[in-house]
C-alpha cells in the first residue's frame, strides 16, 4: 500500500508502524518439519485466491514470487444425505437441481433491481420460497468458500453474492445452473507469504519508507490544524513472554496525515474522544468475530469429520457422459489414483445446521508440498498431511469441536479478528466511507472499507486523495 505514497518521493515522508515483529498481518508462513511433511513451510491466514486477484499477483511477481495455479475441490458435509462436491455428481445436488436453477435465474434479477442488493440471503431465500435444506446444505456452505467464513452466510447481501458470479471486479467463478459451482474450479495457491512480505518491506525501505516493527500505537491524542500526534511504545519481539514484553516507556510522534490499515473498530478506539460524530457512527457499524484457527496434523480427527476420500456411497447417479467421466476420474480406475483430492471442507452443526466449521487440507492445496513444486506428483501420505481447522465466532464456542483435536498434533493456534460480511456493513459503512476519507487528514484503508476480503492492504482509491496536498507531507500508516 505504501507504494502509492512514494511514487513522488519529494511529496511524502512515509512511516509504517507495525505491532508485530514481521510484516504481512494475517498472511504468514510458519516453519514445519520437512522430513515428516515434505516441505519446511506452510502458509496460514492467506492460502490462495481466484484469478481475479490480479493486483495481488502483480505484487508477488514484482518481488520474484510466483503464485501457482491449482484446482480447488471442496467437500461440504458428511454422509450421502449431506455431502456434495464440485468433483463429481452427488445426490444432494441432484435433489436440489431445480432450486439451483431457480436461484441462478433469480440472482440475475438482483442486478436488474437495485433494491434487492442489500437483501440478506436468508430473507432472499425465504421470500422466494426456497427450502431450509437448500440454504443450509447448498447456499451457506458455498458462501463460506467465497468469503472464507462459515457462520455469517445467512446475513451476506444477495447482491454481493451475485457479484461473485458476474461482477468482473470481484468474480470468483461463473454460476453453473446445474451444480452452482463449476466442476474442478481453478484458483491460485500463494507463495511463501512471510518471505514475500519481507522482500516487499525491504523494497519499500529502499524507496524511502520508514518501517518500524514491534511498535504499538497506544492512541491518537492530537488531530487538528497543528498536526497529528500519536503515542507509541515498543513491544518485545518474543510474544511468548506475555505482557511483560511491552515496554512502559512511550513516545509522542508527530505527523501531517494518518492512514489506518487496521479494522474499523480498532481505529475508532485509537481515536477515542478525538473521533468525530461521523467516525463514531460509521466505524461503530463494523462487526467483527473472534475466531480461532488451529494448524495441526490430526488426520484421524479430520477423516472422522469430513469426506476426505472417494466412496461409492456418497456418489450420485451419472446422468450425462460428463458425469460418468467425473466419477471415473474421482474413483480412479485401472491403476490410476483417485483425483478426488478436496482441500476445502465444511462441517455443519446438527443443532444449528446454518452454522458450520471450515477446514483446509493445506497439503493438497499449497503447491510446495508437491515434489517437485507445481507438478502432479504424489503428495505425502494422508497421515502426514497438514490441516487447518477454523472455528468461527467465539460466542459459538460451546458447539465447537476443537477439543476433539489431538493436542500433541497441534502445530500452531491463533486467534483472529474477522470481519462479518453482514448486509448492514454494505448498506451503512461502505457508502459512508467517502464522507470520512480525507477529512481531518485521516484516511481509512483495507478491504473492509469496500467489499470483500481480497488480501489488499491499501488500495489506490484510498490514497489518490493524498495527491491534493502540497509537498512535503509526513504520513503515518498504521
Amino acid at each position: 500500500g505504501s507504494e502509492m505514497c512514494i511514487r513522488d518521493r519529494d511529496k511524502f515522508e512515509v512511516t509504517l508502524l507495525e505491532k508485530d515483529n514481521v510484516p504481512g498481518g494475517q498472511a504468514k508462513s510458519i516453519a514445519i518439519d520437512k522430513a515428516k511433511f515434505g516441505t519446511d513451510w506452510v502458509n496460514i491466514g492467506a492460502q490462495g485466491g481466484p484469478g481475479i486477484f490480479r493486483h495481488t499477483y502483480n505484487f508477488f511477481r514484482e518481488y520474484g514470487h510466483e503464485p501457482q495455479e491449482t484446482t480447488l475441490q471442496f467437500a461440504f458435509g458428511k454422509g450421502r444425505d449431506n455431502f456434495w462436491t464440485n468433483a463429481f455428481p452427488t445426490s444432494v445436488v441432484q435433489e436440489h437441481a431445480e432450486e439451483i436453477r431457480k436461484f441462478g435465474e433469480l440472482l440475475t434479477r438482483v442486478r436488474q433491481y437495485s433494491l434487492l442488493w442489500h437483501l440478506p440471503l436468508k430473507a432472499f431465500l425465504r421470500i422466494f420460497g426456497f427450502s431450509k435444506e437448500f440454504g443450509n446444505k447448498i447456499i451457506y456452505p458455498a458462501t463460506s468458500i467465497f468469503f472464507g467464513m462459515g457462520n455469517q452466510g445467512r446475513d451476506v447481501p444477495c447482491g454481493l453474492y451475485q457479484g461473485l458470479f458476474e461482477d468482473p471486479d470481484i468474480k470468483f467463478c461463473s454460476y453453473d445452473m446445474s451444480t452452482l459451482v463449476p466442476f474442478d474450479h481453478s484458483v491460485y495457491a500463494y507463495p511463501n507469504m512471510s518471505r514475500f512480505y519481507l522482500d516487499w518491506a525491504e523494497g519499500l525501505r529502499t524507496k524511502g519508507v520508514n518501517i518500524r516493527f514491534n511498535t504499538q500505537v497506544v492512541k491518537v491524542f492530537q488531530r487538528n490544524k497543528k498536526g497529528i500526534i500519536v503515542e507509541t511504545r515498543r513491544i518485545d519481539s518474543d510474544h511468548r513472554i506475555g505482557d511483560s514484553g511491552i515496554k512502559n516507556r512511550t513516545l509522542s510522534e508527530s505527523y501531517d496525515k494518518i492512514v489506518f490499515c487496521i479494522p474499523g473498530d480498532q481505529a475508532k478506539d485509537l481515536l477515542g474522544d478525538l473521533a468525530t460524530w461521523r467516525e463514531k457512527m460509521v466505524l461503530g457499524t463494523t462487526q467483527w468475530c473472534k475466531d480461532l484457527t488451529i494448524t495441526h496434523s490430526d488426520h484421524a480427527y479430520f477423516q472422522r469429520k469430513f469426506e476426505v476420500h472417494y466412496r461409492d456411497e456418497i456418489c450420485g447417479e451419472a446422468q450425462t457422459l460428463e458425469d460418468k467421466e467425473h466419477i471415473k476420474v474421482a474413483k480412479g480406475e485401472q491403476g490410476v489414483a483417485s483425483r478426488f483430492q478436496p482441500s476445502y471442507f465444511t462441517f455443519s452443526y446438527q443443532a444449528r445446521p446454518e452454522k458450520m466449521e471450515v477446514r483446509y487440507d493445506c497439503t493438497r492445496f499449497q503447491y510446495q508440498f508437491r515434489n517437485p513444486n507445481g507438478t502432479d506428483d504424489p503428495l505425502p501420505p494422508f497421515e502426514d498431511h497438514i490441516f487447518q481447522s477454523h472455528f468461527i465466532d467465539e460466542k459459538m464456542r460451546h458447539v465447537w469441536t476443537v477439543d476433539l483435536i489431538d493436542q500433541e498434533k497441534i502445530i500452531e493456534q491463533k486467534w483472529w479478528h474477522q470481519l462479518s460480511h453482514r448486509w448492514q456493513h454494505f448498506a451503512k459503512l461502505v457508502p459512508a466511507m467517502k464522507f470520512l476519507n480525507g477529512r481531518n487528514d485521516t484516511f481509512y484503508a483495507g478491504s473492509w472499507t469496500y467489499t470483500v476480503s481480497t488480501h489488499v492492504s491499501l488500495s489506490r482509491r484510498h490514497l489518490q486523495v493524498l495527491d491534493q496536498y502540497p509537498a512535503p507531507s509526513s504520513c503515518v500508516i498504521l
Side-chain angles (χ1 to χ4, degrees):
S2 306
E3 293 277 6
M4 305 303 177
C5 292
I6 47 89
R7 285 175 296 175
D8 299 310
R9 299 188 186 185
D10 57 340
K11 279 190 177 183
F12 307 107
E13 295 177 3
V14 180
T15 298
L16 192 153
L17 304 181
E18 169 59 57
K19 182 179 178 180
D20 207 343
N21 63 329
V22 292
Q26 294 186 358
K28 296 180 180 179
S29 307
I30 58 175
I32 54 177
D33 184 352
K34 184 175 182 178
K36 178 176 177 59
F37 300 114
T39 184
D40 59 0
W41 63 274
V42 61
N43 283 330
I44 63 171
Q47 298 193 49
I52 198 66
F53 291 0
R54 291 184 293 270
H55 175 70
T56 302
Y57 305 148
N58 286 339
F59 263 130
F60 289 161
R61 293 171 179 132
E62 182 178 346
Y63 290 94
H65 298 266
E66 185 69 30
Q68 300 287 334
E69 188 171 7
T70 186
T71 297
L72 176 62
Q73 291 184 352
F74 58 76
F76 295 144
K78 178 76 172 178
R80 181 179 179 85
D81 295 335
N82 298 292
F83 166 79
W84 67 286
T85 179
N86 64 333
F88 55 86
T90 62
S91 59
V92 170
V93 168
Q94 292 169 350
E95 289 170 4
H96 293 281
E98 180 58 29
E99 288 186 294
I100 290 174
R101 182 196 60 77
K102 176 183 173 182
F103 185 75
E105 293 175 348
L106 287 172
L107 275 185
T108 62
R109 305 260 185 99
V110 175
R111 184 179 67 253
Q112 299 169 359
Y113 302 101
S114 58
L115 291 178
L116 294 174
W117 202 99
H118 292 103
L119 193 67
L121 282 173
K122 61 183 178 183
F124 185 83
L125 295 176
R126 184 173 62 251
I127 290 172
F128 291 104
F130 291 94
S131 65
K132 288 185 178 180
E133 289 76 14
F134 177 68
N136 293 338
K137 293 182 180 181
I138 301 291
I139 298 300
Y140 302 146
T143 305
S144 73
I145 202 173
F146 299 145
F147 298 100
M149 52 82 176
N151 283 352
Q152 290 84 44
R154 300 170 73 244
D155 294 309
V156 169
C158 58
L160 180 59
Y161 196 91
Q162 176 266 334
L164 293 173
F165 293 107
E166 298 184 7
D167 190 329
D169 291 329
I170 62 172
K171 184 176 181 179
F172 184 88
C173 66
S174 297
Y175 191 94
D176 191 301
M177 287 294 186
S178 300
T179 60
L180 196 146
V181 180
F183 282 103
D184 292 344
H185 181 59
S186 178
V187 295
Y188 286 85
Y190 291 163
N192 186 301
M193 296 303 285
S194 291
R195 294 172 189 168
F196 159 71
Y197 270 108
L198 287 172
D199 290 344
W200 177 77
E202 187 60 30
L204 292 182
R205 281 182 170 137
T206 62
K207 298 174 183 177
V209 178
N210 177 25
I211 302 177
R212 287 160 47 197
F213 298 117
N214 301 315
T215 303
Q216 179 186 20
V217 177
V218 181
K219 68 176 181 178
V220 180
F221 64 86
Q222 176 180 302
R223 189 178 58 156
N224 52 34
K225 294 181 179 179
K226 296 181 180 179
I228 296 171
I229 299 180
V230 298
E231 181 179 322
T232 65
R233 64 182 172 188
R234 291 281 296 170
I235 299 178
D236 195 288
S237 60
D238 190 345
H239 298 297
R240 293 172 298 179
I241 63 178
D243 293 338
S244 61
I246 299 178
K247 310 303 182 184
N248 292 324
R249 187 171 65 89
T250 61
L251 295 175
S252 296
E253 307 180 26
S254 60
Y255 300 93
D256 297 314
K257 309 172 205 323
I258 186 169
V259 180
F260 288 103
C261 292
I262 57 178
D265 57 340
Q266 295 178 2
K268 179 174 173 284
D269 291 341
L270 287 181
L271 287 172
D273 295 336
L274 295 183
T276 65
W277 67 269
R278 286 190 182 90
E279 289 169 324
K280 291 178 181 178
M281 180 179 67
V282 175
L283 300 179
T285 63
T286 60
Q287 180 173 317
W288 304 78
C289 295
K290 190 175 182 181
D291 300 349
L292 173 65
T293 294
I294 295 183
T295 305
H296 62 92
S297 60
D298 189 351
H299 72 280
Y301 162 83
F302 212 84
Q303 189 163 356
R304 186 166 64 250
K305 286 293 181 182
F306 309 104
E307 299 290 356
V308 299
H309 301 298
Y310 175 85
R311 297 187 297 127
D312 288 334
E313 303 86 73
I314 60 176
C315 183
E317 295 183 3
Q319 298 177 339
T320 65
L321 291 177
E322 186 181 21
D323 285 348
K324 292 182 179 179
E325 183 62 26
H326 286 309
I327 294 174
K328 179 180 179 181
V329 172
K331 181 184 296 188
E333 295 180 343
Q334 298 176 351
V336 179
S338 169
R339 295 295 297 274
F340 178 54
Q341 298 285 328
S343 55
Y344 186 95
F345 306 78
T346 62
F347 164 78
S348 297
Y349 303 113
Q350 185 174 2
R352 299 286 301 276
E354 78 282 5
K355 303 290 186 180
M356 65 197 69
E357 296 174 2
V358 175
R359 303 287 188 270
Y360 305 91
D361 186 329
C362 301
T363 301
R364 285 176 173 171
F365 184 80
Q366 297 183 30
Y367 65 85
Q368 72 274 15
F369 288 94
R370 301 187 182 277
N371 186 25
N373 291 349
T375 73
D376 292 327
D377 286 1
L379 294 169
F382 186 76
E383 293 75 15
D384 294 330
H385 282 204
I386 288 184
F387 312 100
Q388 275 193 2
S389 296
H390 192 186
F391 302 95
I392 303 161
D393 192 357
E394 190 180 25
K395 296 177 183 178
M396 297 282 296
R397 190 165 189 169
H398 61 286
V399 295
W400 287 0
T401 62
V402 60
D403 294 334
L404 299 178
I405 300 176
D406 187 343
Q407 296 294 306
E408 295 184 356
K409 295 186 177 181
I410 292 179
I411 300 172
E412 194 258 12
Q413 56 183 6
K414 186 175 182 62
W415 288 94
W416 305 98
H417 196 59
Q418 296 279 35
L419 175 67
S420 175
H421 293 84
R422 304 180 306 155
W423 68 269
Q424 295 94 330
H425 178 81
F426 304 96
K428 298 178 181 180
L429 181 137
V430 173
M433 289 309 301
K434 62 183 178 182
F435 300 110
L436 298 188
N437 270 326
R439 291 177 179 265
N440 303 303
D441 294 323
T442 303
F443 306 87
Y444 298 91
S447 58
W448 63 270
T449 64
Y450 181 45
T451 52
V452 293
S453 299
T454 55
H455 190 63
V456 178
S457 59
L458 212 55
S459 67
R460 184 182 302 271
R461 74 181 71 229
H462 299 123
L463 286 172
Q464 282 178 332
V465 69
L466 290 175
D467 291 336
Q468 65 183 288
Y469 292 98
S473 291
S474 63
C475 169
V476 61
I477 299 178
L478 310 184

